[in-house]
Every structure is written in structure tokens, then in C-alpha cells.
Amino acid sequence: MADDASAHPDVLNATAQGQLKSIIERVERLEQEKSEIAEQIKEVFAEAKGNGFDVKVIRKVIRIRKQDRAKRQEEEAILDLYLAAIGEI
């Protein structure tokens, strides 16, 4: 990649090159932060498991809490309808 840039120095002006470098560095920092946060989340789930909680269910609760309440209720009603239709409830 660097060879391509040196072979074509006129592709981006100095301002554009600076902006591009800044953007790339910011994304790299955010990716690092995301990795660190993912590790922290993993540790919290390990703590929950160590305290006897079901991590799979906790993940489900978190996923449900992210949903819009009305949309979730609509999906649950449809799920109940389908389960009733096949004799599961």
C-alpha cells in the first residue's frame, strides 16, 4: 500500500492525506476501545455466572430490553398465536 502512495504522490493533497490519517487513527483507537469493552463485558458475564446466574438468560433479557416495548409485545403476541396454532400452548 505504501508503495502505491509513494508512486502516486499527487493522488491526495497534504490536507486530504492528513484527514485520511486522522480518520484511520481514530478508527484504530475506537477498535481498541471496543476490544477493551468487550473484554470487560466478558468479565461481567463471568462474574454473573460465578454468582449462579444463567448467562444465556441474562443475554436474552438484555436483548429484550433493547427492543421497543410495543414492537416486542407485537412479536410476543404473534409468537403466542403461532405456538397456539401448532398446539404448543
Side-chain angles (χ1 to χ4, degrees):
M1 282 280 189
D3 292 337
D4 291 341
S6 62
H8 303 287
D10 58 332
V11 173
L12 295 175
N13 65 33
T15 302
Q17 288 175 1
Q19 289 173 335
L20 179 59
K21 184 176 181 182
S22 174
I23 289 168
I24 290 169
E25 289 172 349
R26 285 172 33 212
V27 169
E28 289 172 341
R29 277 193 307 275
L30 290 170
E31 288 289 343
Q32 179 62 35
E33 289 176 24
K34 182 170 75 169
S35 175
E36 292 168 0
I37 290 171
E39 184 60 33
Q40 292 172 3
I41 291 170
K42 183 178 173 182
E43 291 170 4
V44 172
F45 280 121
E47 178 184 339
K49 185 175 182 177
N51 289 327
F53 293 104
D54 187 324
V55 172
K56 186 175 179 179
V57 175
I58 290 174
R59 289 183 188 278
K60 193 170 192 174
V61 168
I62 292 168
R63 187 174 58 248
I64 287 170
R65 287 172 48 108
K66 286 181 182 179
Q67 293 177 324
D68 175 69
R69 184 175 294 235
K71 183 164 178 58
R72 182 177 77 230
Q73 289 172 338
E74 179 183 346
E75 288 176 5
E76 288 173 353
I78 294 170
L79 176 63
D80 288 344
L81 175 68
Y82 288 1
L83 288 172
I86 61 171
E88 290 294 321
I89 58 171

